[in-house]
Amino acid sequence: MKVRVIRLSNNFYKDKAQKDIETKGQDSTRALDKYCCLGYFDALGVESINCSNRNWKENIRREVNRIAIDGLEGGCSRKIIICITNNNKRDEDFWEMAEKQPCLFVSLMRIRHENVEFATIENIVNEINSHSISTDCVIAYYTYDHSEIVLIRAGKSYLLGMKAVLGAYSFKSFNLFKMYTVFAIKEEELANCTNLKDEIVNCKLTAIIKNREAAKEFVNDLRNRLNDGSMPSGFSVSSYDTLGSTDLIIEILEVPLKQLLYIYKMGELLTHTNTQYQNAFFNVETQIFDRTGW
C-alpha cells in the first residue's frame, strides 16, 4: 500500500506593517509550496508516507500530523487530503511522469449512492488506473472524509486538462454526484512556462478591496503588464463593482496563458507578497475559463 498526502495552503491576510515585522530578515519571495494554485487555494505540495513497517497505521497518523503542521509559521492555513492506493507501480509511474509535467489537476469526487460499498469504489479506481499512463497521465486514489475518490491528472495544457476533468461527469462506470478540482502549476515553471502549452484563455478575478484607489491603479497596471503589444485582437481587461462576498470582478479576455501565469510568480503582481496587491486587496481569487460555452 502507498499513501500520498496532498497539502493545500491558503495565505492569511496580514497588513503590511504586521507582515514587515514578522518577515524581517526572511525571503519575502519564498513560495508556500512546490505548486502554485489558482482558485481558492494558493499552494499545493505532495508527500509520500512509508507504509512498509509493522506499525504502518501509527506511522501514517504520525506523518499526517507532521505534514499538517510542518513549516507553519502563522502565515497560512492548510487542508490535508490523504490519498491511498494498493497499486504501488501505478503510483510510482504516475509521479515519475508528473515530475516532467508543469500542471496538476486534483479532483475530489463523490459518488451518487446513499451507501457506497467499497467494492463499487474499488471497481472505479481500478478501471481508471487500468488505462495506459503513457497516453493519459492520471491516477485514482481512495480517500475518505467528504469524498471517496481523489483523481489526479498531470499535463501541459490547461484547456485539455479541464476538458478531461469535466469528462468524469460522463463516465459510464459510475454516477458522479459532486466534484471539486484544484488546478496547480509548478512554481519553477512560472518564470518562463517553457514546458506549458501556450493557449488563449479567459480569466475572472474576484477581489475583496482594501483601498479603492489602490485597486483602480492595480487594474491599470495589470492591463499594462499583460499587454505586451502582441495580444490577440479580442484581448481586454475590464473591472466591475459587485455586492456580496466580493467587491470587484476583473475580467480578462483572450489572453495567452503564459502571459497570464507569469504574474503569479512569487513577488509578482497577483501574489500576496506583492506590495501593490497588499495595498489594494485583502484577497483575490482566480478562475480560468473557456468561452466556447455549452
Side-chain angles (χ1 to χ4, degrees):
M1 188 177 75
K2 191 67 172 287
V3 177
R4 297 270 178 179
V5 178
I6 306 294
R7 179 177 52 230
L8 295 168
S9 301
N10 246 353
N11 275 299
F12 287 141
Y13 166 75
K14 294 185 178 182
D15 62 56
K16 188 174 184 304
Q18 180 184 6
K19 186 167 288 189
D20 287 345
I21 293 172
E22 294 185 4
T23 61
K24 187 175 182 180
Q26 298 180 14
D27 181 6
S28 63
T29 61
R30 180 170 57 90
L32 273 180
D33 225 313
K34 182 173 181 177
Y35 290 85
C36 168
C37 291
L38 273 64
Y40 176 78
F41 295 101
D42 295 314
L44 179 150
V46 184
E47 288 195 35
S48 63
I49 294 178
N50 181 16
C51 304
S52 60
N53 59 42
R54 288 185 303 172
N55 299 321
W56 61 269
K57 290 184 180 180
E58 294 180 11
N59 189 43
I60 287 174
R61 285 193 292 268
R62 183 170 60 251
E63 286 297 292
V64 167
N65 290 335
R66 177 190 64 77
I67 292 168
I69 63 172
D70 190 32
L72 278 180
E73 299 171 346
C76 67
S77 61
R78 280 189 183 153
K79 177 178 176 62
I80 297 297
I81 303 168
I82 299 174
C83 306
I84 304 166
T85 182
N86 52 16
N87 190 336
N88 286 17
K89 187 177 187 311
R90 180 73 176 197
D91 174 88
E92 291 169 4
D93 290 347
F94 172 81
W95 288 106
E96 183 179 347
M97 289 191 68
E99 192 61 35
K100 303 171 186 176
Q101 307 294 329
C103 301
L104 277 186
F105 300 82
V106 180
S107 299
L108 310 180
M109 306 166 71
R110 295 197 68 191
I111 312 306
R112 192 186 297 275
H113 291 293
E114 289 186 3
N115 297 301
V116 182
E117 295 181 358
F118 177 74
T120 303
I121 304 300
E122 186 176 32
N123 289 338
I124 295 168
V125 168
N126 288 341
E127 179 182 342
I128 294 171
N129 290 339
S130 67
H131 298 158
S132 173
I133 203 166
S134 61
T135 56
D136 190 11
C137 191
V138 63
I139 186 169
Y141 291 97
Y142 308 108
T143 189
Y144 51 88
D145 196 7
H146 185 66
S147 304
E148 292 97 13
I149 296 173
V150 177
L151 191 148
I152 306 178
R153 185 180 302 275
K156 297 181 179 181
S157 166
Y158 176 82
L159 294 178
L160 290 178
M162 181 172 68
K163 183 178 180 181
V165 167
L166 295 178
Y169 285 105
S170 303
F171 283 177
K172 295 180 180 179
S173 57
F174 67 97
N175 194 349
L176 182 61
F177 175 64
K178 186 179 181 183
M179 179 169 62
Y180 179 87
T181 300
V182 176
F183 168 64
I185 181 167
K186 287 181 181 175
E187 283 282 350
E188 64 186 30
E189 286 285 337
L190 294 175
N192 48 42
C193 296
T194 52
N195 295 313
L196 182 73
K197 180 179 179 181
D198 203 8
E199 42 202 358
I200 304 301
V201 299
N202 302 280
C203 177
K204 183 180 77 169
L205 308 177
T206 52
I208 303 174
I209 293 177
K210 179 180 180 182
N211 182 295
R212 286 186 65 85
E213 291 304 314
K216 290 178 181 178
E217 183 179 347
F218 181 96
V219 173
N220 288 331
D221 288 346
L222 175 64
R223 184 183 293 109
N224 293 333
R225 284 293 305 277
L226 289 174
N227 191 357
D228 64 353
S230 61
M231 285 301 190
S233 59
F235 168 76
S236 66
V237 177
S238 306
S239 55
Y240 310 94
D241 287 316
T242 185
L243 301 178
S245 59
T246 58
D247 306 310
L248 182 71
I249 295 173
I250 304 171
E251 188 178 57
I252 307 170
L253 300 181
E254 300 294 308
V255 60
L257 182 60
K258 289 185 179 182
Q259 192 83 351
L260 177 67
L261 290 178
Y262 179 78
I263 55 179
Y264 288 89
K265 183 177 179 289
M266 287 303 296
E268 284 292 336
L269 202 56
L270 273 171
T271 64
H272 285 261
T273 56
N274 182 274
T275 302
Q276 275 187 273
Y277 181 110
Q278 293 170 8
N279 292 337
F281 303 113
F282 291 106
N283 190 55
V284 179
E285 190 170 320
T286 304
Q287 290 177 302
I288 299 176
F289 63 96
D290 182 357
R291 283 210 299 169
T292 54
W294 287 12

